[in-house]
Amino acid sequence: MTDETVHESQETRSRRGIASYFRRLANRLSRGEPVPADEEQTVTVDPPAESDFEVGVEREDGTVTLEIEMGWEEADGEVETEVVASKATFEVYEDNAEQYRWRLRHDNGNIIADSGEGYASKQKAKQGLESVKNNAPGAYVVDKSKDETAPDDGGSKATFELFKDSGDKARWRLRHDNGEIIADCGQGYASKQKAKQGLQSVKTNARGVPVEEGE
């Protein structure tokens, strides 16, 4: 077989962003599911139960490199491209007030996030959901009842806030650094733990989500 580079990327990330990437890999590996190699989750690998595993730390010309490598016989695992690993879909639609909105619907039918407000145009709504795609995976989670604040480490330009509404229901919202709320849970939860599970689903599924546009 000919040699082929299926996927390769290089960028600068915060420790938080790197941790989010490895956490996603670890969760999929532990469940025995295909593992997304790229942020958009369009390239996945499905390694066998046992693989060669190598870790190396190198110093060269004042630069330290940490290399983590897995390897296996091609026949023992699968590589897929142009796949959709996310289990959700963004839906862009027009509401009764002729405003454009988006919602994130899980494959089980549940709406796990929405725009929380209407936009004047479909383009603005799509820009809003793109901001959620980019910022939700690495966003910190803070509990407003404990006056927690997110560290300023550049991991994301938004923060998940846990809070209780006027009906004593647990909720979350995703607030951008500019102060705007870019996503909302859309419903109250019976417990803070349920709200955390809901936002975690958004964190996991936001990247690489297909977008469906209504008329």
Side-chain angles (χ1 to χ4, degrees):
M1 268 192 173
T2 59
D3 294 338
E4 177 188 12
T5 299
V6 178
H7 171 73
E8 187 175 47
S9 61
Q10 181 176 343
E11 60 183 293
T12 300
R13 294 193 191 181
S14 67
R15 292 169 63 111
R16 179 74 176 181
I18 295 170
S20 295
Y21 176 81
F22 280 122
R23 191 176 299 112
R24 182 165 62 248
L25 266 61
N27 289 338
R28 298 289 176 86
L29 283 170
S30 65
R31 295 195 297 262
E33 299 175 356
V35 177
D38 62 331
E39 282 292 351
E40 296 301 318
Q41 304 187 58
T42 60
V43 178
T44 64
V45 294
D46 194 2
E50 292 187 0
S51 307
D52 293 333
F53 186 70
E54 183 178 341
V55 179
V57 179
E58 298 181 357
R59 287 187 296 194
E60 183 177 357
D61 296 330
T63 300
V64 178
T65 303
L66 168 63
E67 296 181 347
I68 301 175
E69 184 174 316
M70 292 175 61
W72 60 87
E73 293 293 330
E74 186 173 357
D76 295 335
E78 295 184 359
V79 177
E80 298 287 343
T81 61
E82 299 183 2
V83 299
V84 178
S86 175
K87 297 180 180 179
T89 301
F90 275 111
E91 299 173 346
V92 179
Y93 65 100
E94 190 175 7
D95 64 18
N96 294 332
E98 298 184 345
Q99 295 280 301
Y100 287 93
R101 294 175 176 265
W102 62 259
R103 57 195 169 209
L104 182 58
R105 188 185 297 275
H106 196 276
D107 289 351
N108 62 15
N110 291 337
I111 296 173
I112 57 177
D114 64 45
S115 57
E117 66 173 352
Y119 294 88
S121 68
K122 184 182 292 186
Q123 182 63 28
K124 290 292 185 182
K126 291 171 71 175
Q127 289 174 358
L129 70 84
E130 284 297 329
S131 181
V132 174
K133 276 188 177 186
N134 293 332
N135 291 297
Y140 280 101
V141 180
V142 299
D143 189 338
K144 299 302 290 184
S145 67
K146 299 178 180 178
D147 291 327
E148 294 177 345
T149 58
D152 185 17
D153 67 353
S156 171
K157 293 181 180 179
T159 302
F160 279 102
E161 298 177 344
L162 285 167
F163 67 100
K164 281 195 174 183
D165 61 18
S166 57
D168 205 34
K169 293 287 189 178
R171 289 178 174 264
W172 64 259
R173 59 196 169 208
L174 182 59
R175 188 185 297 276
H176 196 277
D177 288 350
N178 62 15
E180 294 183 1
I181 296 173
I182 59 175
D184 186 272
C185 60
Q187 63 172 328
Y189 293 90
S191 67
K192 188 181 297 183
Q193 183 60 32
K194 290 292 185 182
K196 287 182 178 179
Q197 291 173 0
L199 71 85
Q200 188 59 50
S201 182
V202 176
K203 278 173 160 282
T204 301
N205 291 294
R207 281 285 175 90
V209 181
V211 179
E212 294 183 353
E213 299 182 33
E215 297 296 331

